[in-house]
Amino acid sequence: MRPTKKAQGQPKYPPLAAILRPTKLADIIGQEHLLEENRPIHRMALKKRVMNTILWGPPGTGKTTLAMALSREIDANFRNINATDTSIKEIRAIIDEAASDNTQQTVLFVDEIHRLNKSVKDAFLPVIEEGVLTLFGATTENPKFSVNSTILSRSLVLETKPLNNEHLVKLLCRIKEYYKAHDIIIRYNKAAAAKLINRCSGDARKLVTAVEAAVIMMDDNEITEEIVDMVFPSKHVVFDKSGNEHFNMAHCYQDAIQDSDADGAIYWLAAWLNSGEDPAYICRRMLISAFEDCAGNPFAITSAMAACYATERTGMPECMIAMAQATCEMATSKRNKSAFYAIHAAMADVQNKRTVHILPEMRAGNNAYKRIINKKYVIGFEKDVPGLNPDA
């Protein structure tokens, strides 16, 4: 349905997301905190000087697009590699090319930079430090925890954010204009447009891909809810069981419980379960929260333990009812962190204050400590109790 001209060295049918990728910073939708006047990317383009930069954020927020558009605007030589499949040979070729070119700045874009292996990293670290080429890395993981500290120390770290509803409406309009320019008229059913926006969770690429599939499926030039359900049956939830979202969900859930926000806690529990997280892990976090935040309510602790047992015995989806009940019990409990503060204070004493050695008479198998305790605490009323002998 989409006429395309086959260009030399280009795919015959490129995806719509690749066709609509902006080539200028001014055409990028969203990321105003980086692109508006006097913001970091805007200043780099204005000064025609790119610093070593790590871009991190969810998929579909424009990390690659930002690097490509900035390189184009400063007339830099843009080279693109993926950390998962690049080789030393490829890196050395790029380094040699950059070193021999004194007319252009070379920007090396490394996708999934948190997966870069040590040998490749060691090959280009010296040259980015010397300015032979400029590193532009992209990652979906928080670089503070996932990117090597030697790279971080040489780089500016910028975060890309999910697109909001206003941005996504603009993107839907841009897609519509593209098809109109190719003599394909499309209309968005209002409910279908809302469903597309909600389900893509701020991922521009996911939205474009869904609309491209919907155009193939549509009749009468209208994208309806039924078509959206067919090509985009469930919400796109950004989640990585070993990455940031794994811990972010746990943090939001426990924060809601600590704030006595039962509705919020139930929402985050639902989002967590829907993301594909292992219910057993959620139960472990639930137990921690029960003992840490609800020490004054034994019912909260027993409810959390019961939910763990129910999860082990039944699994999804039945276990989520027990998990919801325990969550409500914890969120409506009066906050009591006495056990949490007590053990942390004691641990601080053990770590930071005078070491208390165990006296010989207090060691296991020795009953002499009883006489010491009796002498210490009974001596005061020995005179009042005729015949009392603490050493007996």
Side-chain angles (χ1 to χ4, degrees), residues 81-303:
I81 63 172
N82 191 297
T84 58
D85 58 13
T86 192
S87 65
I88 290 290
K89 183 179 180 181
E90 183 180 7
I91 289 292
R92 294 200 184 282
I94 295 172
I95 292 172
D96 292 343
E97 178 188 355
S100 62
D101 187 356
N102 295 322
T103 61
Q104 281 184 305
Q105 183 179 3
T106 297
V107 174
L108 174 62
F109 180 80
V110 183
D111 200 12
E112 305 289 344
I113 194 170
H114 60 281
R115 297 184 180 179
L116 201 65
N117 67 57
K118 186 177 185 303
S119 58
V120 173
K121 178 194 67 181
D122 291 343
F124 73 69
L125 270 179
V127 293
I128 66 169
E129 193 167 74
E130 296 167 5
V132 175
L133 55 78
T134 302
L135 173 69
F136 233 90
T139 175
T140 55
E141 301 291 328
N142 189 332
K144 186 183 298 184
F145 308 115
S146 61
V147 177
N148 188 281
S149 58
T150 55
I151 296 177
L152 285 180
S153 67
R154 296 163 172 80
S155 306
L156 178 67
V157 178
L158 302 175
E159 181 181 3
T160 59
K161 299 178 180 179
L163 275 65
N164 61 32
N165 288 356
E166 183 181 345
H167 298 145
L168 295 172
V169 169
K170 288 181 181 178
L171 183 55
L172 286 175
C173 294
R174 184 172 294 180
I175 297 170
K176 185 176 181 179
E177 291 171 2
Y178 168 81
Y179 279 113
K180 184 178 180 181
H182 291 83
D183 300 322
I184 300 173
I185 304 301
I186 64 172
R187 295 188 302 274
Y188 301 108
N189 176 293
K190 187 175 181 180
K195 188 170 284 190
L196 281 168
I197 288 171
N198 288 332
R199 287 187 177 175
C200 75
S201 300
D203 185 332
R205 182 167 49 240
K206 192 71 176 179
L207 179 65
V208 174
T209 302
V211 174
E212 183 178 20
V215 168
I216 296 173
M217 303 297 298
M218 73 179 183
D219 294 316
D220 301 325
N221 297 328
E222 184 176 22
I223 297 176
T224 63
E225 277 192 275
E226 291 75 16
I227 293 175
V228 173
D229 287 334
M230 193 182 306
V231 300
F232 205 167
S234 60
K235 177 175 281 193
H236 175 62
V237 179
V238 178
F239 186 75
D240 183 346
K241 288 187 178 182
S242 60
N244 301 323
E245 294 304 305
H246 177 72
F247 301 104
N248 290 343
M249 287 281 192
H251 177 76
C252 291
Y253 175 77
Q254 189 166 359
D255 262 8
I257 290 174
Q258 291 174 343
D259 291 341
S260 299
D261 180 5
D263 290 339
I266 289 292
Y267 173 83
W268 289 114
L269 174 64
W272 212 358
L273 289 168
N274 188 68
S275 71
E277 178 66 89
D278 181 2
Y281 175 79
I282 298 177
C283 283
R284 290 196 293 273
R285 299 297 304 186
M286 188 179 292
L287 277 175
I288 293 169
S289 188
F291 282 97
E292 179 178 328
D293 302 311
C294 312
N297 182 5
F299 294 109
I301 295 171
T302 54
S303 292

Side-chain angles (χ1 to χ4, degrees), residues 313-375:
R313 299 293 293 178
T314 64
M316 283 288 286
E318 291 82 1
C319 68
M320 63 183 182
I321 302 171
M323 297 170 78
Q325 180 174 341
T327 298
C328 288
E329 185 67 44
M330 290 190 292
T332 54
S333 299
K334 186 177 180 180
R335 296 283 73 77
N336 185 326
K337 297 175 73 75
S338 56
F340 174 84
Y341 290 129
I343 190 60
H344 278 75
M347 290 295 287
D349 284 349
V350 171
Q351 290 287 336
N352 304 316
K353 294 188 177 180
R354 183 172 63 87
T355 301
V356 178
H357 296 284
I358 299 175
L359 298 174
E361 55 269 23
M362 296 183 70
R363 292 173 185 166
N366 191 333
N367 291 328
Y369 76 92
K370 293 181 180 178
R371 294 194 293 273
I372 295 172
I373 293 174
N374 286 339
K375 284 180 178 179

Side-chain angles (χ1 to χ4, degrees), residues 36-102:
E36 287 181 345
E37 189 175 356
N38 293 324
R39 299 294 182 172
I41 299 295
H42 172 265
R43 296 296 293 182
M44 289 186 200
L46 187 66
K47 299 289 186 179
K48 304 233 178 257
R49 179 72 174 88
V50 180
M51 295 179 58
N52 296 321
T53 304
I54 304 295
L55 288 172
W56 76 281
T61 52
K63 297 183 289 294
T64 304
T65 301
L66 282 168
M68 292 177 66
L70 178 60
S71 299
R72 181 186 291 267
E73 293 206 5
I74 68 169
D75 194 28
N77 180 23
F78 182 83
R79 301 302 305 272
N80 186 357
I81 63 172
N82 191 297
T84 58
D85 58 13
T86 192
S87 65
I88 290 290
K89 183 179 180 181
E90 183 180 7
I91 289 292
R92 294 200 184 282
I94 295 172
I95 292 172
D96 292 343
E97 178 188 355
S100 62
D101 187 356
N102 295 322

